[in-house]
Amino acid sequence: QVKLDESGGGSVQAGGSLTLSCAASGYKLTNYCTGWFRQRPGGEREEVAVTDALGNMNYADAVKGRFTVTTDNDKNTVYLHMHAVDVEDTAIYICAASARFFITCPTAPHAFFHWGKGTQVTVSS
């Protein structure tokens, strides 16, 4: 059974940094696409970053240059390092995994099958 557990959310001031973790069990990160998504208040779920089995990354334009994804294969954990955060980054951040291998990972939320419960990030000005 695939399980994704996010942690590391909290409150941070604008301009600050925060690192989120997503610990995976029941599957190996290196075999599938793994993504970070977020849902802002009143908004739809949107891509933040997606990483494929080879470690290639795709970042949403809104976070390019500020957010970075790293993976610890030994711990089967993917991290989202958030820097220079803005109040617009306030959202529930959710980790997701695809159900199968893709040569090129999709970025749309509907293409991902397994989802964590999410962790709240609140940025204050």
Side-chain angles (χ1 to χ4, degrees), residues 58-100:
N58 185 80
Y59 295 95
D61 289 343
V63 306
K64 276 181 184 175
R66 301 189 299 120
F67 292 9
T68 305
V69 172
T70 60
T71 303
D72 186 330
N73 292 331
D74 290 337
K75 294 182 179 179
N76 213 30
T77 299
V78 61
Y79 302 93
L80 179 67
H81 306 276
M82 307 167 61
H83 303 288
V85 296
D86 184 80
V87 291
E88 294 295 317
D89 296 318
T90 294
I92 298 172
Y93 285 75
I94 313 160
C95 181
S98 63
R100 64 176 179 87

Side-chain angles (χ1 to χ4, degrees), residues 8-33:
S11 297
V12 60
Q13 286 197 322
S17 299
L18 201 64
T19 294
L20 308 182
S21 302
C22 173
S25 59
Y27 89 113
K28 289 180 65 68
L29 286 172
T30 52
N31 290 347
Y32 304 96
C33 303

Side-chain angles (χ1 to χ4, degrees), residues 28-34 50-58 69 71 73 101-105:
K28 289 180 65 68
L29 286 172
T30 52
N31 290 347
Y32 304 96
C33 303
T34 303
V50 170
T51 178
D52 65 18
L54 298 179
N56 298 309
M57 308 289 179
N58 185 80
V69 172
T71 303
N73 292 331
F101 174 80
F102 287 89
I103 294 176
T104 301
C105 284

